[in-house]
Amino acid sequence: MSYRVAYERSIADPAGFWTEQARAIDWIEFPPTTLDRDSRGDYRWFRGGKLNTCALALDRHVDSGRSDDVALIYDSPVTRTVSRFTFRELRDRVAKVAGGLVELGVQKGDRVVIYMPMVPEAAIAMLACARIGAVHSVVFGGFAARELAIRIDDAAPKVVLSATCGIEFSNVVAYQPLLEEALRLSRHSVNHCVILERPQCRAVLREGRDLDWVTWETASSAVDPVPVDANDPLYVLYTSGTTGKPKGVVRDNGGHAVALNYSMKAIYGVDAGDVFWAASDVGWVVGHSYIVYGPLIRGCTSILYEGKPVRTPDAGAFWRVIAEHRVKTFFVAPTAFRAIKKEDPEARLKSNYDVSCLKYLFVAGERLDPPTYHWLDQILDAPVIDHWWQTETGWPICANMAGFPLHAIKPGSPTLPVPGYALAVVDDDGKPVDANVEGNIVIAAPLPPGTFPTIWGDHDRFVEAYWSRFPGYYLTGDGGYVDDDGYLYVMGRIDDVINVAGHRLSTGEMEEIVASHPAVAECAVVGIEDADKGQVPLGLLLLKDGVNVEPAALEKELVQMVRQSVGAFANFKRAVVVKRLPKTRSGKILRQVLRKMIDGNTYSVPSTIDDPAILPEIEATLRDCGIVGR
Ligand code: COA
Ligand code: AMP
C-alpha cells in the first residue's frame, strides 16, 4: 500500500483502518467496537477491548520464544556502565516490582509518581504500574520541588518511586532533598516512597514511610499482568500549558498500544529484533512512547542512555552508542546536534566509529533549523527526517514515513500528515487558508488512537483549551502553513508555550514566579531565539512604585527563584527592568510583538496598542543590555 492510499483510507474509513492495525497486537478480548462516542460525545477507540500493555511489551515476547533477546540496553557513560536486559530478565524484574507495589496497597486505577533519573528502574517502574493497571505519572528529574509538588497534588499518588540522585555530566544531583521539599509543599500525603540508592549518594530513609528499593524488590512476589479496559488510563504526563498549572495529559491503554505498534514500523522503519534509540528522558513523552513502550511493544531492542551529547566524555558520544549497539533508527532533538556541532564542527569524532548500521535519523521536539539539517545531511549517509508531534498526541502527527518509500526531503518541513491525522491550516475565523499562507494548525476530529482522551481530573479544560476555539477541530497550539505539495511547515507556537533545548515550558508559569517577588509590580516572560537552545526565556519587569533595588541584584534573585521553583533546565538567565510594558487598550501584554522585536524580525504594531511609543523605548533599553542586536 502506498502512503497516499494508506492516508486516504485512514481519513475516509478510520474505523476500518484502525481495526486492521488493532489486529497486529494481542488482546485479551478483541474490542467489539473500534470507534464510537461516549456519553459526552467524545470519540473513543476500542471501547470494550481488554488487554495489558506490560504483557504486550514483555510477556508476549517471552511467550513467543524471544526470552533471551535483548529488550533494553542501559548505556550510562556518566557511571561507566553498559548493561543488557533480555525480555525475560526485564519481565521478571517488572513482575516483582509490580508485586511490591501491590504489597504497598497499590491497586488498579491508583496513581504512582515516578521521579527518577535515566536508570533501568525508571522503565521497570513504568511497566510495573502498567502490569497491575496502576496509573503512573513520571516527573522529569530536572523539575524542582515546587513542580513536583504541583504534580503530586494533582495526581494524588499512593506511592512515589524515586532514587537518591541523578548525574548531570559529572555533577551529582541529589533527589531526596527535592522530594522531601515537594512532599512538604504538597497538600496530598503519600503512603510510601521507595528509594533506589545509587552508589553516588546515600539514602536517608524515613521510618514507616520510606523503603529501600533493593530490599523491597527482593522481598516481593512476582505478579501476573491484569486485564484492563482499552479506555483505562495507562499514565498521566504533565505538560506546560499557557497558565501556571500544568496539564495532566492522559493516555489510555488500547489506542496507545495500537498506535505505537503501528508507528514503529510505519514511521520509524523498525521491527522486532531491530535496535531503536531515542535519546530523550523518561520524563518526557518521547521517553514514554519511544524509550519504553513503542520499541518494546514492537519487540525491538531499546536503549536507555544516561548521558549527554557532549562531555560524556566528548562530542563523539552519540556515534559511539550508535556503533556499539548497532542502532538502526535514532531519534533526538535538534538541540543535541547543535551542541555536538559546536564542539566538533567537522564531525571528526564520527570517523572513529562505524555508524553504517544507522538507517534513519529522526529529529523532533523543536524546529529543525536548516543549518543543523544541512550539517547533518552532509555528515551522514542516513536520511535526516524531521517529524512533528506533541505530548498530547503521544506519537507523530507529520513525518516522512520510513515504512513507505521516502518522500523528497524539504528542509524546514516535517513533510506530510501521518495516517489518522486530518490536518488543516485555518485563519482566526476557522476558514481554511490557501497553500503557503500561515495560520493555525488544527486537526479534524476524531484524532487517531493513542492521542489523549482528556486532561486528568479536568475534562472542561480539555474541551476549553483544545476543542472550543474551532469546534470539531483540535487546536495544536502551533502555527504554520502547507506548501503546494502538501508539506507542512511548523513555524512556532501561537500561545505562551516556549521550547528550550527541546523542553516545553510555560512562560505564564515563570511569570507567576517572577511576579511573586516583592519588588515586582508586573512582568512579561517571552521566549527569544537562542542559537544553542532554540529559545530561552527573557523576563521584562516593572518595579513597584517607590522600590529602590539594584537591577543586577534583582536579576540574580529572580534567576535563582526560577531555578528553585521550575528547575535549572528552564534556562531563565535574564530579567530586565523596563519602564512600561506594551499592552492593548484592554490591558493584554503584546508578547508576540515583543518577541519579534527582540529577535529582530519584522512586526506590525497592532491597532489595539495602548501607546506605540513604548516599543522603541523598550527596544532601546534592551539594546543597552545587549539583548536586542545580539
Ligand atoms: N536533572 C537535573 N538538572 C538538569 C537536568 C536533569 N535531568 N537536565 C538539565 N538540568 C540542568 C543542567 O544541569 C543545567 O544546570 P546548570 O545551569 O547548573 O549548569 C541546566 O539544567 C541547563 O541544562 P541544559 O539546558 O540541558 O544545558 P546543558 O549545558 O546542561 O546541556 C545539552 C546542553 C545540549 C547537552 C542538553 O541541553 C541536551 O542534552 N539537550 C537535549 C535535550 C533533549 O533531548 N530534549 C528532548 C526532549 S524530547
Ligand atoms: P512536547 O509536547 O514537549 O513534545 O512539545 C510539542 C511542541 O514542540 C509542539 O507543539 C511544537 O511547538 C514543538 N515541536 C515538536 N516537534 C517539532 C518539529 N518537528 N518542528 C517544529 N516544532 C516542533
Side-chain angles (χ1 to χ4, degrees), residues 274-531:
D274 288 332
V275 182
F276 181 90
W277 178 27
S280 178
D281 189 287
V282 286
W284 306 117
V285 69
V286 181
H288 283 61
S289 296
Y290 295 116
I291 295 175
V292 180
Y293 290 113
L296 295 180
I297 289 173
R298 191 83 207 188
C300 302
T301 301
S302 183
I303 297 178
L304 191 132
Y305 175 68
E306 188 183 28
K308 301 279 179 182
V310 292
R311 291 166 28 223
T312 55
D314 57 30
F318 281 3
W319 312 128
R320 196 261 310 155
V321 175
I322 292 167
E324 196 168 315
H325 305 306
R326 309 311 294 157
V327 173
K328 180 175 178 187
T329 297
F330 179 38
F331 174 170
V332 71
T335 185
F337 272 115
R338 286 197 296 271
I340 294 174
K341 183 173 154 215
K342 204 168 166 187
E343 296 207 0
D344 183 18
E346 313 291 329
R348 288 217 171 89
L349 291 168
K350 181 173 158 281
S351 56
N352 297 340
Y353 304 96
D354 169 15
V355 296
S356 58
C357 52
L358 186 71
K359 295 290 169 266
Y360 307 102
L361 169 65
F362 279 84
V363 291
E366 55 170 339
R367 192 172 131 78
L368 172 60
D369 52 296
T372 305
Y373 167 78
H374 290 298
W375 184 76
L376 284 167
D377 186 44
Q378 231 172 39
I379 63 167
L380 284 178
D381 293 330
V384 179
I385 303 179
D386 185 7
H387 67 321
W388 168 65
W389 54 297
Q390 310 180 310
T391 305
E392 288 86 342
T393 64
W395 65 291
I397 309 168
C398 271
N400 203 344
M401 298 176 71
F404 299 101
L406 284 182
H407 290 87
I409 289 173
K410 298 195 193 187
S413 168
T415 319
L416 299 168
V418 165
Y421 290 97
L423 200 76
V425 180
V426 299
D427 65 17
D428 286 346
D429 299 322
K431 296 208 179 61
V433 297
D434 290 337
N436 305 309
V437 176
E438 236 179 269
N440 306 288
I441 310 176
V442 296
I443 305 164
L447 293 179
T451 55
F452 69 145
T454 191
I455 293 204
W456 184 255
D458 200 349
H459 195 70
D460 289 348
R461 191 172 180 197
F462 171 74
V463 175
E464 170 57 30
Y466 297 103
W467 295 97
S468 63
R469 175 97 188 268
F470 304 112
Y473 290 88
Y474 164 73
L475 182 72
T476 65
D478 281 310
Y481 65 93
V482 167
D483 74 6
D484 293 320
D485 300 323
Y487 279 52
L488 181 76
Y489 289 77
V490 181
M491 302 309 288
R493 299 287 304 194
I494 51 174
D495 55 16
D496 299 328
V497 167
I498 61 170
N499 206 305
V500 180
H503 304 310
R504 176 165 157 182
L505 288 153
S506 156
T507 53
E509 190 161 12
M510 287 184 253
E511 281 175 8
E512 272 182 23
I513 294 159
V514 172
S516 71
H517 190 285
V520 175
E522 203 179 354
C523 73
V525 174
V526 291
I528 60 170
E529 281 172 19
D530 181 84

Side-chain angles (χ1 to χ4, degrees), residues 3-176:
Y3 158 78
R4 185 51 58 198
V5 170
Y7 180 74
E8 277 164 13
R9 167 126 200 268
S10 77
I11 302 302
D13 176 20
F17 182 88
W18 289 108
T19 303
E20 261 168 44
Q21 303 312 329
R23 289 205 184 98
I25 63 162
D26 284 356
W27 295 84
I28 297 165
E29 280 173 35
F30 193 78
T33 51
T34 293
L35 178 63
D36 66 350
R37 287 180 185 238
D38 64 14
S39 53
R40 291 190 287 221
D42 294 324
Y43 286 101
R44 288 284 169 264
W45 290 99
F46 310 120
R47 212 143 49 129
K50 291 206 186 304
L51 76 167
N52 182 281
T53 298
C54 174
L56 287 177
L58 301 174
D59 303 62
R60 183 167 67 135
H61 308 303
V62 173
D63 297 342
S64 67
R66 301 196 50 228
S67 310
D68 298 330
D69 290 358
V70 176
L72 193 71
I73 299 173
Y74 168 55
D75 187 308
S76 168
V78 294
T79 59
R80 297 201 172 81
T81 312
V82 175
S83 53
R84 293 175 172 77
F85 298 80
T86 64
F87 280 101
R88 189 206 300 275
E89 285 164 345
L90 197 58
R91 195 269 317 260
D92 291 350
R93 285 205 59 190
V94 166
K96 288 198 81 172
V97 169
L101 287 171
V102 171
E103 282 157 29
L104 293 181
V106 177
Q107 297 170 0
K108 190 167 161 179
D110 287 341
R111 273 80 57 212
V112 173
V113 160
I114 300 172
Y115 182 58
M116 297 191 78
M118 287 290 286
V119 289
E121 284 75 8
I124 289 171
M126 292 162 76
L127 291 157
C129 291
R131 193 167 188 85
I132 58 171
V135 181
H136 61 70
S137 187
V138 184
V139 179
F140 173 57
F143 275 122
R146 175 183 174 272
E147 294 291 328
L148 178 58
I150 292 172
R151 287 154 176 79
I152 288 174
D153 272 337
D154 200 71
K158 271 193 178 160
V159 170
V160 175
L161 301 176
S162 191
T164 51
C165 64
I167 302 160
E168 287 294 298
F169 298 104
S170 53
N171 292 342
V172 173
V173 180
Y175 277 35
Q176 278 197 290

